[in-house]
Amino acid sequence: MILKVNHLSVKYKDLKAVNDISFNINEGEIFTIIGPNGAGKTSTIESLVGLNKKYNGSISILGTEAKDINKSLYNEIGVQLQEASFPDRLKVSEVCKMFSKLYYNPIDYSILLKEFDLESKKNSYIRELSGGQKQRLSIIIALIPNPKIIFLDELTTGLDPKSRRMIWGIIRKQKKQNKTIVLSTHFMDEAEYLSDRIAILVEGKLQVVGTLNEIFEKYEMEQKITFHTNENKELNFVHASNVKREGTLVSVWVKKGETALEDIFTDLKDSKIKYENLECKSPNLEDVFLKLVGYRMEDV
């Protein structure tokens, strides 16, 4: 176990940003913290990496309490913060060279610049970079020490779709090298694609930790099956929790499972109901997230 958090709380005056949360992170996994704005994600990350020492509880990272992290341990820890800035009058290569000199065994930054599609910008000044390019540079800086554990706060904020997927590929490559990655994001597709396990924070409280399937099971997320029919027969489906009809459109909610769609086919056949345009929508992380924050489409 590379990181262990017990009863972590972070308070700013009267605001409890993080409220008594506990979880463990295993070596070589991608562990993602998600939650709405103000949920406590950044406060948690800052505490885990030793930037915020005013917390209650305990955090063990690489066998050291986070409050006691020394300079040498940062050779094992890479950090990309949500808001990182570099001197405008330095060139990209100069920034990379400066950070490389801080570590015992840095990765050749020219390799990282090429991998992140910034090789052509190595002689450009920081002030000449776009927001997305600065974001990619901040991730490069986090990887330069060749760390065992990498923290990425709001990994792809400000990046275009192509750059986001490029970054996802690089993160997966890091995992294959047995790196441990801790990231926070508010992009549900990013969390689904990258994560081995996910922690959901709402108002500073930890709601759930688990794999995607474990989370779906915990919250009994359902599949939505829709089809069109002109028949006015009574619709009875054995495994349905809810059936809604709007004109010719029929929506059926069933508990997620391998046979859900097959069961609906069987019920339609047994009832001799003619239908068309049958579709099945499986639950996703966004559905869970919206359920936890109390958002319903009918509220709009």
Side-chain angles (χ1 to χ4, degrees), residues 130-149:
S130 68
Q133 289 167 340
K134 289 178 182 178
Q135 179 77 347
R136 278 182 273 158
L137 178 60
S138 69
I139 299 172
I140 288 173
I141 299 304
L143 298 179
I144 280 178
N146 194 19
K148 290 182 178 178
I149 183 168

Side-chain angles (χ1 to χ4, degrees), residues 3-272:
L3 193 151
K4 188 172 184 178
V5 179
N6 283 318
H7 302 292
L8 172 65
S9 292
V10 179
K11 189 175 181 181
Y12 303 106
K13 295 184 179 179
D14 295 328
L15 173 65
K16 207 159 194 179
V18 182
N19 191 352
D20 192 25
I21 68 174
S22 300
F23 58 87
N24 302 323
I25 298 177
N26 302 313
E27 185 175 1
E29 77 171 334
I30 300 178
F31 185 91
T32 303
I33 303 171
I34 66 173
N37 292 334
K41 301 188 299 296
T42 295
S43 294
T44 298
I45 295 288
E46 289 177 346
S47 300
L48 299 184
V49 301
L51 293 178
N52 172 40
K53 301 180 185 297
K54 295 181 179 180
Y55 61 79
N56 293 319
S58 66
I59 302 169
S60 175
I61 177 170
L62 296 169
T64 300
E65 176 65 33
K67 290 179 181 178
D68 301 325
I69 293 176
N70 55 37
K71 290 183 180 179
S72 64
L73 194 60
Y74 281 113
N75 285 279
E76 312 291 344
I77 301 171
V79 182
Q80 173 257 324
L81 295 176
Q82 185 175 351
E83 295 182 6
S85 60
F86 308 105
D88 282 347
R89 296 184 180 182
L90 286 183
K91 294 180 179 179
V92 169
S93 59
E94 292 172 333
V95 171
C96 292
K97 187 179 296 183
M98 178 179 67
F99 277 93
S100 294
K101 290 181 178 180
L102 298 176
Y103 304 110
Y104 297 147
N105 185 34
I107 295 176
D108 184 347
Y109 66 81
S110 63
I111 295 174
L112 292 173
L113 287 173
K114 185 175 182 179
E115 192 171 16
F116 281 79
D117 197 25
L118 284 178
E119 187 178 29
S120 64
K121 297 292 183 181
K122 65 182 180 181
N123 292 318
S124 298
Y125 290 100
I126 297 297
R127 65 173 179 267
E128 297 171 344
L129 301 183
S130 68
Q133 289 167 340
K134 289 178 182 178
Q135 179 77 347
R136 278 182 273 158
L137 178 60
S138 69
I139 299 172
I140 288 173
I141 299 304
L143 298 179
I144 280 178
N146 194 19
K148 290 182 178 178
I149 183 168
I150 305 161
F151 293 87
L152 304 167
D153 191 12
E154 300 294 355
L155 172 65
T156 59
T157 297
L159 298 183
D160 59 71
K162 179 183 176 182
S163 295
R164 288 182 71 213
R165 280 154 182 78
M166 178 187 70
I167 298 299
W168 293 355
I170 293 171
I171 296 306
R172 283 195 158 186
K173 182 179 177 182
Q174 292 290 318
K175 173 183 164 59
K176 288 180 180 178
Q177 296 171 6
N178 203 38
K179 306 287 188 181
T180 303
I181 298 155
V182 184
L183 63 91
S184 73
T185 183
H186 59 266
F187 294 120
M188 300 299 111
D189 59 338
E190 184 165 282
E192 284 195 29
Y193 184 78
L194 291 175
S195 311
D196 293 303
R197 290 190 301 140
I198 297 166
I200 302 179
L201 276 177
V202 178
E203 295 182 349
K205 295 181 180 180
L206 189 60
Q207 304 297 313
V208 63
V209 177
T211 65
L212 201 56
N213 283 335
E214 288 170 346
I215 292 172
F216 287 159
E217 289 178 9
K218 176 179 174 64
Y219 291 101
E220 298 181 336
M221 301 307 295
E222 296 180 315
Q223 290 175 312
K224 181 182 179 182
I225 298 170
T226 61
F227 60 88
H228 287 266
T229 181
N230 290 312
E231 300 191 20
N232 292 318
K233 294 180 181 179
E234 185 177 355
L235 300 173
N236 293 310
F237 300 104
V238 175
H239 299 291
S241 63
N242 188 25
V243 179
K244 186 177 181 180
R245 186 163 188 164
E246 296 176 298
T248 64
L249 175 65
V250 178
S251 300
V252 185
W253 285 266
V254 295
K255 188 174 181 180
K256 189 177 185 298
E258 292 181 0
T259 65
L261 191 56
E262 182 181 335
D263 291 341
I264 295 297
F265 273 125
T266 300
D267 290 339
L268 288 169
K269 182 179 179 181
D270 290 346
S271 301
K272 297 181 180 179

